Amino acid sequence: MPFAGIPDADAHGRPGAGGGGTGLRIVYTLELARRTASSPVKALVVHPGSAMTGLQQHGDSAPSRMVTSIAARLFMGSAEGAAWPSLCAATSPHVRSGGFIGPTGRDQTSGAPKPAGLPAGADDPAEGRRLWAVSEQLTGVPFDLEAGTAPSW
């Protein structure tokens, strides 16, 4: 997985472009799961799907608002439904650290939560270690969970 886009966050502080930030968050979370494997901490990847919220309802033009309205009915779930995967991850006794929980609907856009497949390459331990190291370098904050040392805030 290329890491070239990490320093170049978008206007919302998200690393990378074109969804690359999502892939990096998955790799990072799986690395956290590996590093906390001997502790009671669970690190899970949670995908809420697509939900129609107030964020999509503020298009600049009538055609934009119409397309958003149609897409919402066809492809998006409710804001409440988008919370289900997070609630499942937080409360289910069946989730395992390193798991990926997402909606069961078409293209994982909505529906009841269930374990989901990881994107190809996301579970590569070498990539996880590399991303962890780059993150420490870019932030200047060492975070060695294996040694039991965390930054003091």
Side-chain angles (χ1 to χ4, degrees), residues 1-146:
M1 177 169 287
F3 294 170
I6 293 175
D8 304 318
D10 69 10
H12 303 286
R14 295 179 298 227
T22 299
L24 294 175
R25 285 187 290 276
I26 292 170
V27 171
Y28 196 87
T29 302
L30 296 177
E31 181 62 17
L32 178 61
R34 283 188 284 275
R35 289 173 181 252
T36 58
S38 62
S39 79
V41 172
K42 288 183 182 177
L44 298 157
V45 177
V46 179
H47 173 45
S50 297
M52 189 62 188
T53 66
L55 294 174
Q56 296 89 357
Q57 297 173 1
H58 300 288
D60 293 339
S61 65
S64 172
R65 288 189 300 272
M66 184 177 72
V67 168
T68 299
S69 177
I70 293 168
R73 287 188 196 101
L74 295 176
F75 305 114
M76 295 180 175
S78 67
E80 293 82 5
W84 291 354
S86 294
L87 291 171
C88 176
T91 62
S92 173
H94 305 292
V95 296
R96 299 287 175 254
S97 192
F100 186 9
I101 308 296
T104 57
R106 178 178 32 166
D107 297 326
Q108 293 183 322
T109 57
S110 63
K114 72 168 190 168
L118 292 166
D123 59 349
D124 182 345
E127 291 295 285
R129 286 189 300 273
R130 191 174 121 201
L131 180 56
W132 193 274
V134 168
S135 298
E136 287 182 328
Q137 178 187 12
L138 291 172
T139 62
V141 179
F143 203 90
D144 187 1
L145 293 172
E146 294 170 356

